[in-house]
Amino acid sequence: MSKRLVQAEFNVERDPERCIQCQVCVRQCSNQVHAYDEEAEQVTCDEASCVGCQRCATLCPTGAITIKKAPPDFAPDNNWTSDVIQNIYRQAETGGVLLSAMGNDTAKTSWWDNILLNASQVTNPSIDPLREPMELTTFLGAKPNAVELSFDDQGGPSLATKLAPQLVLSTPIMFSAMSYGAISYNAFESLARAAGQYGTFANSGEGGLHKDFWPHGPNMIVQVASGRFGVDIDYLKVAAAVEIKIGQGAKPGIGGHLPGEKVDERISQTRMIPVGSDAISPAPHHDIYSIEDLRQLIYSLKEATRYQKPISVKIAAVHNVAAIASGIVRAGADIVAIDGYKGGTGAAPTMIRNNVGIPIEFALAAVDDRLRQEGIRNQASVVACGGFRSSADVVKAIALGADAVYIGTAALVALGCHLCQKCYTGKCNWGIATQDPYLTRRLNPDIGARRLVNLLRGWSHEIKEMMGGMGINAIESLRGNREHLRGVGLSDRELSILGIKAAGE
Amino acid sequence: MKRIVAKEEYCMNCRLCEVHCLVSHSRSKDLIKAFRQERGEIVPRITVERLGAVSFAVQCRHCDEPACVEACMTGALSRDPVTGEVTHDPQRCVGCWMCVMVCPTGAIRRDKSGHVAAKCDLCLETGTPACVANCPNEALVIEEDND
């Protein structure tokens, strides 16, 4: 066997003064980095398998373990970096496609940091959200072109316009689509419970909805994706809304593949496929090759749900996203979800994750502009997703034109994810992206749901604080209000696409 | 009385309960010192049992009709009629290990330092059992049993 050239990515440092040989690290590492040598009565380690998930360092009772990034000391080169060289070694050894998970991790991926928010000074009063009411309630769904009232004999008004079905969110944040299969039962349950407790929505992803989760239906958006996993009339009926998944920001243009070894009895029931069979989502929907075809599916789902549920269409942010979004709205979608290229995934080819698609900042601004220009912005809500890291990102997205955002990575981080980006190995040490029964029990949904609700509460509070600073007391007044945004370090072209002024203007 | 309840579905076999139980019953009460200087002499009074993916922590169940109390010839083990706690008095224990033999859950171990039995005392000194306080996944909880 020839010598492998790929070098260890992490150094595992164990402080011998602190290590008590309790072997917690040995029992917690699914990558077998730590082992106990009975003869030497000592914990040993094999750094080559370390993925840097920090599980051992977090659980070590004496803090004896430190995991450090160990870029192999190749000769310094700005083009041929150690990552590039290591990737080539990997492919030269396996002949395979490089895989990654979570979102694009390359250096320049976020433009939110180039956008700054406004605050009131002197001429308009700011509002203290702790003392005055502040409204974050968000309604997702088609809004009428005009509202007509009718009056009874006594002149009492009532609404004559028939309103389209709406999702009511207590905060403009929802949990992104993450399927049961990609994430564990306990992670899925945590998300569903937290959505219900906070009055928002979780998304089932494309893997169906296990019957155990049907009680969470009123707070679930269910997906219909190209694999059609778990889709039947009961699945559509039990949910609050249905989302047609066309694309995903992390991997626009390609499908999905849940390996057969993850398809156990419960996942098999949920996805409606045999135990052990690969769950393959084709790249396209084979019945959607045009906007007209999409319209057929949207209306099939509307018929199936008796026009009582909003139908969402989720696409990846790609080059002609504005025109595509316009087509989707005209095809009858009530919600358009746009996933930017920072969006996460359980598995994607590295080259696709890092190079395909466009940032959500530009896509969102372009879609909002286009729908306004065409006079159809009211016909659908726009949900932005892909790499939202903080409440500030959310506020900026809403001011750019989003009705709400989906958070995926941030939610998983709240559950304990340390972004080691190895979801596709199925060995998630945090019990999130795995189906191994030894690992899934590490996520207690009581703790998970509590942490997610705390995250939503914290972000919502911060959103209110930022709105208050701008002198705005309802999220509706912030929506699409780009006057509250200014750009720094952006070119004229970038500013014009974002539709915002430069700082100082 | 208060009972420690194990939720096997969330026990992840880290065995930090054993680590902290040992420290809690050490002289030094210090993690590193307890393991370096006292391990071997003192033992944790909680044991994680594991078969495959399933594991859970076992400690004294404070039985209503404790076999250990029945078997104890010196009266070192007794059941508090008011609180229901099964307590162990090392001063009276002669280390005959009958309690170890009869305990249906194997929750009593031999403490080599004093040649006496060692069992869960619910950490009465501190109030919250160390295993419950330090379980990272809330797989051990303390519940009030109203029976």
Side-chain angles (χ1 to χ4, degrees), chain A residues 166-233:
Chain A
Q166 304 285 320
L167 293 181
V168 186
L169 287 62
S170 67
T171 189
I173 306 166
M174 301 186 287
F175 299 129
S176 321
M178 288 175 278
S179 70
Y180 170 40
I183 60 171
S184 65
Y185 183 92
N186 289 350
F188 196 99
E189 184 179 341
S190 304
L191 290 162
R193 274 164 57 175
Q197 283 171 27
Y198 204 77
T200 183
F201 294 85
N203 192 310
S204 74
E206 57 179 295
L209 192 67
H210 193 275
K211 283 201 172 132
D212 292 358
F213 300 125
W214 283 18
H216 298 292
N219 292 93
M220 293 299 302
I221 299 172
V222 295
Q223 271 196 341
V224 172
S226 60
R228 299 286 199 272
F229 296 117
V231 179
D232 67 5
I233 187 64

Side-chain angles (χ1 to χ4, degrees), chain A residues 40-188:
Chain A
E41 294 184 345
Q42 220 171 25
V43 180
T44 59
C45 83
D46 171 19
E47 291 175 330
S49 327
C50 180
V51 298
C53 77
Q54 305 284 346
R55 178 79 185 178
C56 55
T58 310
L59 263 78
C60 176
T62 58
I65 304 174
T66 314
I67 307 293
K68 286 188 179 158
K69 180 88 180 97
D73 267 337
F74 299 127
D77 192 317
N78 286 320
N79 284 319
W80 300 92
T81 60
S82 59
D83 286 346
V84 169
I85 296 174
Q86 292 263 83
N87 278 344
I88 292 177
Y89 286 155
R90 281 191 189 98
Q91 293 192 290
E93 281 162 16
T94 62
V97 171
L98 295 168
L99 279 182
S100 285
M102 304 310 287
N104 188 340
D105 64 354
T106 53
K108 177 60 183 172
T109 55
S110 185
W111 274 260
W112 295 124
D113 301 333
N114 297 80
I115 301 175
L116 299 173
L117 293 167
N118 194 24
S120 302
Q121 301 292 303
V122 184
T123 56
N124 50 348
S126 48
I127 303 169
D128 184 345
L130 293 174
R131 292 189 173 80
E132 295 182 51
M134 194 63 80
E135 190 59 78
L136 292 189
T137 307
T138 298
F139 296 86
L140 299 183
K143 308 294 187 293
N145 292 330
V147 175
E148 285 177 17
L149 297 176
S150 62
F151 298 90
D152 59 20
D153 300 343
Q154 277 82 44
S158 62
L159 193 61
T161 314
K162 194 173 179 314
L163 293 179
Q166 304 285 320
L167 293 181
V168 186
L169 287 62
S170 67
T171 189
I173 306 166
M174 301 186 287
F175 299 129
S176 321
M178 288 175 278
S179 70
Y180 170 40
I183 60 171
S184 65
Y185 183 92
N186 289 350
F188 196 99

Side-chain angles (χ1 to χ4, degrees), chain A residues 16-22 24 27-28 55 59 61-62 186 437-438 441-447 450, chain B residues 7-16 19-20 31-32 35-36 39 50 52-55 136-138:
Chain A
E17 297 290 310
R18 289 183 167 202
C19 179
I20 56 174
Q21 314 293 332
C22 68
V24 169
R27 290 185 287 270
Q28 291 296 296
R55 178 79 185 178
L59 263 78
T62 58
N186 289 350
Y438 185 70
R441 59 188 59 235
R442 295 180 183 185
L443 180 56
N444 179 342
D446 290 342
I447 302 176
R450 191 192 312 148
Chain B
K7 297 184 173 177
E8 60 86 10
E9 66 270 38
Y10 305 128
C11 175
M12 50 195 198
N13 190 41
C14 67
R15 301 174 86 156
L16 278 167
V19 171
H20 288 280
L31 258 167
I32 295 174
F35 269 78
R36 284 280 160 77
R39 193 187 201 176
R50 176 191 170 201
V54 181
S55 56
N137 206 28
E138 294 179 13

